[in-house]
Amino acid sequence: MAKTGTTTQGLRAAIERSGYYPALVAEAVEAAVGGDPVVSYLVHQETTFDANEVRRHVTVLVLTEHRFIVSHTDEQAADDTSPTPYATTSTESVRIERISSVVTSRVVANPESYTPGTLPREVVLTIGWGAVSRIDLEPAACGDPNCDADHGYTGSSTADDLSLRVSEAGDGPETVRQALSFAQALSEATAALGEGPSGTRR
């Protein structure tokens, strides 16, 4: 783990490198982090196309010793509520013990010749803490193809508070590497909550 000062400075530098309203984004993130030591972070900027408009937004994920912080900043064109373009920034602070799942999906090319340590082509990081759940339902059925009875519904509930996709082609290898590093740090932080002082499971 890098020293607190170095990591905090690295977070600020990453926000500035993104070039996306760095003063606005940094102020919101630093206010949310407060005086907590920064353990790991990920800054991801994405451009989307909405009809005839090009919109950018940036997501900043920060892991401290006790909290997971997510910040989104979006830019909006002038509309009925504002005569000039504007940006909205939101931050959410989640206690580490509330993190219920950390899913890291990797996409690799030519898996038959994969070499351990090779960077994935893309990474999708999905983090759940119970604020948003997706429920997928479908009619339940039995094994009898001639049965027309009502068997109710079957389905699954999935925590899906945040899903972030980074790719080597679109974001560069360093961002993919940072996404993997952040996912590992967050997974380790949630796992550590279940261990006692001596490293034994509680």
Side-chain angles (χ1 to χ4, degrees), residues 49-107:
F49 300 90
D50 182 11
N52 296 324
E53 296 180 355
V54 178
R55 293 185 178 179
R56 299 177 300 160
H57 64 269
V58 66
T59 301
V60 180
L61 309 181
V62 182
L63 175 65
T64 72
E65 292 182 355
H66 304 290
R67 295 184 297 147
F68 164 67
I69 296 164
V70 54
S71 174
H72 292 288
T73 302
D74 296 271
E75 61 182 2
Q76 307 289 338
D79 54 26
D80 295 339
T81 65
S82 175
T84 59
Y86 60 98
T88 58
T89 300
S90 64
T91 57
E92 182 172 3
S93 177
V94 183
R95 296 190 311 275
I96 294 298
E97 57 265 27
R98 285 185 54 199
I99 302 293
S100 56
S101 66
V102 180
V103 182
T104 306
S105 301
R106 307 169 185 233
V107 178

Side-chain angles (χ1 to χ4, degrees), residues 113-132:
S113 58
Y114 175 77
T115 301
T118 301
L119 207 61
R121 188 173 64 189
E122 66 179 60
V123 171
V124 179
L125 177 60
T126 305
I127 304 169
W129 58 89
V132 177

